[in-house]
Amino acid sequence: MPRIAVVNIGAHGHINPTLAVCKSLQESGADVSYFAPEEFRLPLEAAGAHLEPFASLMSAPQPPPPGVHPLAMLAEKLQDEFSSVLPQVLPRLAAIKPDLIIYDRFALAAWVAAKELGCRAALFCPSYVMNERFGLAALFRATSPDAPTARVQPPILKLQAGGQTYGELSIIEVFEGREDLNVVFLPRAFQPAGETFGPAFEFVGPCLRERPAAESFPVSEAFLKERPLLFISLG
């Protein structure tokens, strides 16, 4: 039985797209251990995964303070999360000895853990992927509000945990990170410069399964005619 470890961040928009994949892996005979915060236990266990909970420092997104680039704020959050999460997950991953680690691009602890353990790795990508044709570099051509003629520099993450240093990454490298297999939950037609991404990128589109807990939502034609119609789309 192949052992697969999935490591994600505590965000519905990053975990929900992976549930159907985990269920399919479990049905095909894989043993799936899923590292995520405790609050996601019910949907993950319903998908056939064994939850390996960890405490996360990531919180709901907040607007950056005036003059602070939003990606600089994200870099600081990811750096703190790495320092907290790696000591929690690395020993347990070593004990599980997975044949494959699949991780979200923001789960930097898993990226380092796979290298430390010499384990094969793949990437779950819930949104756009990036390469030399489509990436973050253009965002940093904007000028700084404090120095209008200066170019904004991509923030750097220092990956440190447990008194050890595991290197540095720019926020661009985080977004442009890739593995030999990258599962993208978008159709290729929705991806900017989609034709420039090679066979390492599998554009699988939305992976949906029936949700046993889903309730019906009957809406009559009369109801729609009587009231304004509001369409809400997450993400």
Side-chain angles (χ1 to χ4, degrees):
M1 175 183 293
R3 293 183 297 274
I4 298 175
V6 180
V7 187
N8 214 323
I9 65 170
H12 292 278
H14 290 250
I15 289 179
N16 286 347
T18 72
L19 296 177
V21 177
C22 290
K23 185 64 175 176
S24 295
L25 289 171
Q26 183 262 334
E27 290 174 347
S28 69
D31 181 41
V32 181
S33 298
Y34 205 118
F35 289 75
E38 176 67 33
E39 65 182 285
F40 296 93
R41 177 177 293 278
L42 289 179
L44 289 171
E45 290 186 345
H50 310 293
L51 177 67
E52 291 282 348
F54 63 82
S56 172
L57 299 179
M58 298 284 280
S59 58
Q62 301 293 326
V68 176
H69 198 291
L71 288 178
M73 188 173 175
L74 174 62
E76 183 177 348
K77 280 191 169 188
L78 293 179
Q79 184 173 273
D80 292 344
E81 180 78 348
F82 173 86
S83 299
S84 173
V85 172
L86 184 66
Q88 298 181 65
V89 304
L90 182 55
R92 284 186 281 167
L93 285 169
I96 292 172
K97 297 179 180 179
D99 300 295
L100 176 69
I101 295 175
I102 313 176
Y103 66 95
D104 183 273
R105 66 159 62 96
F106 289 161
L108 297 177
W111 175 68
V112 167
K115 294 184 181 302
E116 291 289 302
L117 300 174
C119 183
R120 295 174 62 197
L123 199 62
F124 275 154
C125 307
S127 185
Y128 300 118
V129 287
M130 301 185 184
N131 63 8
E132 62 281 353
R133 289 285 300 277
F134 173 75
L136 281 185
L139 294 180
F140 291 95
R141 298 193 184 104
T143 56
S144 165
D146 300 321
T149 60
R151 181 172 175 178
V152 179
Q153 295 299 315
I156 301 296
L157 290 77
K158 296 181 179 180
L159 302 182
Q160 299 173 334
Q164 296 190 52
T165 299
Y166 297 91
E168 296 182 351
L169 281 176
S170 78
I171 194 68
I172 291 178
E173 291 175 296
V174 173
F175 276 89
E176 295 184 353
R178 65 184 64 183
E179 294 288 352
D180 291 338
L181 173 63
N182 307 273
V183 181
V184 188
F185 296 105
L186 290 173
R188 187 182 291 269
F190 286 10
Q191 168 68 45
E195 72 283 357
T196 67
F197 290 84
F201 292 85
E202 289 287 348
F203 291 89
V204 299
C207 295
L208 305 175
R209 296 178 65 99
E210 181 180 354
R211 297 186 181 185
E215 299 178 0
S216 62
F217 185 65
V219 178
S220 67
E221 185 176 350
F223 178 89
L224 294 178
K225 288 181 177 180
E226 291 170 2
R227 303 164 184 249
L229 182 62
L230 177 65
F231 176 75
I232 301 175
S233 175
L234 299 179

